[in-house]
Every structure is written in C-alpha cells, then in structure tokens.
C-alpha cells in the first residue's frame, strides 16, 4: 500500500526544512512542491540553490521535484492533444506562462506547429516582454539561468498566501491565446476576468480552481496528471510515487550541466500506471 501525504508550509523555508528532516528515512520518497530543484533549458541543467539546500537535508530518502517527469510526461501529453479531435492543439495560439520549468512542453508545442508566446520574463520576473521563439528562450535561459537559480524562490514564484491572490495583468497576451499552459499558480496569479472559451493546460488544480476557471468562461481544462481525491497533483508528487514504487530514483545520464534523468524510467511507470491526461470540456463556459 502506498500512502501519499501532502504537508504544506505556506512558503516557510524553516518549516520545510523541519519537515524534510522529520521524514528523511521514514518516507520512501519526498516530492518538493512550490519550488524547482532543476531547470532544463536547451540541453543544460541549472540547479536552484535554495531547493538544493533543502534536498540535501535528506540523507536517506530520495528527494525529487517533478522536473524529470515534466520532461517526459508533458511531451507525451502535448503529442496526444495535437491528435485529439476535441482539443486539436496543433497550430493553436498558446501562452506558456513559464517555459524554463517546462522546456519539454515548450519544445513539443513548437514542434507540433503551435504559435507559442513564452511568458517567462513576464510571470517570473515581472518584465512585460513576451518571447516568441525557442532560440530567444534558449539565449535568455543560458544568460539568466545561472543568476535566477541563486535567488530565493519567493522572488520568482507566488508562495504562501500570495497563491490565493489574483491581480489581473497582461490582458492582451491572455486574450490572444487559444490555450494557456503551464504552472497553475502563475496562470491564476494574473488571471483576467474573462477567458472566453480558452483551454487551460496545467496541473495542481483543486475543484475550487476548476470552478473559478469555469465561471470565468474557460472552454475546458486539461490536467497532465490524474485527479486523486478532488485534486490534480503536481508532477513532484507523481514523480515521488514512481520513485517510491521503484525503490530508487532514475539514473542520471550525461555529465556536468547536461545531466538528464533516464527517460525510460518515467515512460515505464507512466505505462505501468496508465497515466493519461484528464480532459474536461465546458464549451463556452458559464457566468
């Protein structure tokens, strides 16, 4: 039997440290939520200093952040949605709110012919400059990756009570999108009053989040991870499940900053557990 327990710390790093120390050696795997341990951009891996410090507090239990699963699962989901007649993702206008933490999704959206706006500067750094090409994203990632990964996570990502606040912003960029994709806390942070049939591609949503999107007129919701007990859990949780069931984390391939986790590990467990995206269609939404 596998028991999944979610322990929130409201963005408090000290409480997170205490929780990791408490569960080290007791849990089969620990999934870091609300903070990335790694960013993968253009074939390179960048390590978040704050997340690495947290992970290193565990000496017995493997600590994962979901980045390896994003690199495989989200590529699969985008390919499936490109062929799905209900979603018909191919060649749609997509706003990917943050691509550097979902580079596999970013690459696959472009490969499937989508017209993608990358919102990394806007949603991560508050700089109102959308990006429109992988080449530009690569250059930005290689320049900023070594810098931003040294910053405290709350400078880059809404944590604690900030996750409950909605401050509409970047309305023009939202309005141009047929699909809004990526981290839900980023999507929600600047959510406009109306979405007018836009599809949302994300995870880590609750039933309250779904109702919020439906009321604002979203056309549908796609979660890359399955729903358990009313919540679509993050990739960090699902990756921790895989590691717990396997008894060990995936092997790392490559060297130096080019290290990637073994993709076959994730494909094996995705197939074994039958993980598929969840698609909910609301049509034009309701008021």
């Amino acid at each position: 039997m596998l028991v999944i327990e979610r322990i929130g710390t409201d963005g408090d790093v000290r409480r997170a440290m205490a929780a990791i120390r408490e569960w080290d050696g007791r849990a089969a795997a620990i999934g870091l939520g609300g903070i990335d341990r790694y960013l993968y951009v253009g074939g390179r891996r960048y390590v978040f200093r704050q997340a690495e410090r947290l992970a290193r507090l565990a000496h017995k239990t493997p600590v994962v952040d979901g980045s390896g699963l994003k690199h495989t699962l989200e590529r699969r989901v985008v390919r499936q949605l490109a062929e799905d007649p209900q979603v018909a993702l191919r060649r749609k206008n997509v706003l990917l709110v943050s691509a550097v933490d979902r580079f596999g999704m970013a690459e696959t959206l472009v490969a499937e012919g989508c017209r993608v706006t990358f919102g990394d500067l806007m949603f991560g750094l508050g700089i109102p400059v959308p990006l429109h090409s992988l080449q530009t994203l690569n250059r930005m990632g290689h320049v900023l990756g070594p810098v931003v990964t040294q910053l405290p996570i709350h400078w880059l990502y809404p944590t604690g009570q900030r996750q409950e606040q909605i401050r509409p912003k970047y309305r023009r960029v939202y309005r141009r999108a047929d699909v809004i994709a990526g981290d839900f806390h980023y999507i929600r942070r600047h959510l406009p009053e109306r979405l007018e049939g836009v599809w949302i591609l994300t995870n880590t949503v609750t039933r309250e989040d779904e109702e919020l999107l439906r009321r604002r007129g979203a056309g549908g919701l796609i979660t890359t991870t399955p729903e358990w007990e009313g919540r679509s859990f993050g990739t960090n949780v699902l990756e921790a499940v895989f590691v717990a069931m396997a008894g060990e984390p995936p092997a790392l391939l490559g060297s130096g900053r080019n290290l990637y986790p073994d993709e076959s590990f994730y494909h094996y467990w995705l197939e074994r557990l039958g993980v598929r995206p969840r698609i909910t269609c609301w049509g034009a939404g309701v008021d």
Side-chain angles (χ1 to χ4, degrees), residues 11-32:
D12 188 319
V13 175
R14 291 185 179 180
R15 288 173 60 190
M17 294 170 65
I20 290 172
R21 289 192 180 104
E22 178 184 353
W23 286 95
D24 183 30
R26 296 174 58 193
I30 296 173
L32 291 178

Side-chain angles (χ1 to χ4, degrees), residues 41-53:
V41 183
R44 294 183 185 176
R45 183 182 75 164
Y46 299 97
V47 181
F48 270 104
R49 180 172 62 179
Q50 190 176 46
E52 188 67 7
R53 286 176 176 173

Side-chain angles (χ1 to χ4, degrees), residues 24-92:
D24 183 30
R26 296 174 58 193
I30 296 173
L32 291 178
I35 186 170
D36 287 320
R37 188 174 179 183
Y38 305 117
L39 296 180
Y40 294 96
V41 183
R44 294 183 185 176
R45 183 182 75 164
Y46 299 97
V47 181
F48 270 104
R49 180 172 62 179
Q50 190 176 46
E52 188 67 7
R53 286 176 176 173
L54 287 173
R56 289 184 180 276
L57 293 173
H59 301 287
K60 299 176 182 178
T61 298
V63 178
V64 296
D65 69 336
S67 57
L69 184 56
K70 287 177 187 176
H71 192 66
T72 49
L73 170 63
E74 295 185 348
R75 289 180 187 273
R76 288 164 60 114
V77 169
V78 169
R79 294 188 188 108
Q80 291 169 11
L81 296 176
E83 302 296 334
D84 186 281
Q86 187 177 28
V87 181
L89 183 61
R90 188 172 288 118
R91 291 185 288 278
K92 290 284 178 66

Side-chain angles (χ1 to χ4, degrees), residues 134-176:
L134 276 178
Q135 292 77 13
T136 303
L137 182 68
N138 272 330
R139 289 195 295 270
M140 183 209 71
H142 293 325
V143 170
L144 296 181
V147 178
V148 299
T149 49
Q150 304 306 304
L151 300 176
I153 193 64
H154 70 267
W155 287 20
L156 307 169
Y157 188 74
T159 58
Q161 293 184 351
R162 290 174 61 211
Q163 292 182 349
E164 304 304 318
Q165 302 168 356
I166 301 177
R167 297 179 179 176
K169 198 175 180 181
Y170 309 129
R171 290 177 175 87
R172 183 177 298 178
V173 177
Y174 275 99
R175 199 161 47 237
R176 290 175 179 170

Side-chain angles (χ1 to χ4, degrees), residues 86 195-199 213-214 217-221 280-286:
Q86 187 177 28
L195 291 166
E196 305 304 345
V198 172
W199 280 83
L213 294 171
R214 194 176 68 89
L221 172 68
T280 304
C281 181
W282 298 310
V286 296

Side-chain angles (χ1 to χ4, degrees), residues 9 16 23 34 36 41 68 79 82 88 92 97 102 106 117 126 138 144 160 187 194-195 203 209 218 255 277:
T9 64
W23 286 95
D36 287 320
V41 183
R79 294 188 188 108
K92 290 284 178 66
V97 291
R102 283 178 154 78
T117 296
N138 272 330
L144 296 181
I187 294 173
R194 295 298 300 170
L195 291 166
N203 58 18
D209 296 325
S255 60

